[in-house]
């Protein structure tokens, strides 16, 4: 296991930032900001989410709780929702 030999390895980094076609898929989906279709600004800080998404699209890494927030937005947008 990678975490046995590299204590800095993180599964989320590998999935979100890895050198993989899925990374480009995530970025292309997020460019359209589909989360704005269902997330109400009265309950969600859309400015914060937009900032996370823009940083990700530019290729900048986020860490800690910001990485988890980004992973959740990526998951939501890739799974989708019923209209």
């Amino acid at each position: 296991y990678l975490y046995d030999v590299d204590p800095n390895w993180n599964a989320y980094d590998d999935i979100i930032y890895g050198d993989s076609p899925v990374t480009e898929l995530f970025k292309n989906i997020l460019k359209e900001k589909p989360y704005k279709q269902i997330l109400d600004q009265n309950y969600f800080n859309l400015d914060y989410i937009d900032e996370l998404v823009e940083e990700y699209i530019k290729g900048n890494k986020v860490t800690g709780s910001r990485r988890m927030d980004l992973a959740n937005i990526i998951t939501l947008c890739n799974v989708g929702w019923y209209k």
Side-chain angles (χ1 to χ4, degrees):
Y1 299 109
L2 288 175
Y3 54 83
D4 286 340
V5 294
D6 183 358
N8 296 317
W9 179 82
N10 182 283
Y12 284 103
D13 278 349
D14 227 20
I15 294 166
I16 295 171
Y17 299 108
D19 186 22
S20 163
V22 76
T23 301
E24 286 307 310
L25 172 70
F26 293 161
K27 288 180 180 182
N28 287 333
I29 289 171
L30 289 178
K31 282 179 187 175
E32 301 299 320
K33 300 182 179 175
Y35 51 86
K36 288 188 172 189
Q37 296 174 16
I38 62 165
L39 300 182
D40 186 329
Q41 66 184 359
N42 292 316
Y43 301 100
F44 296 92
N45 186 343
L46 294 181
D47 291 336
Y48 169 72
I49 295 170
D50 286 343
E51 178 188 332
L52 282 177
V53 168
E54 289 302 320
E55 288 299 309
Y56 178 62
I57 290 169
K58 290 178 188 174
N60 299 326
K61 284 189 177 184
V62 295
T63 59
S65 63
R66 291 173 56 87
R67 177 178 49 213
M68 290 307 303
D69 293 342
L70 177 62
N72 290 331
I73 293 298
I74 288 171
T75 301
L76 173 67
C77 292
N78 279 280
V79 171
W81 47 86
Y82 180 75
K83 294 182 185 180

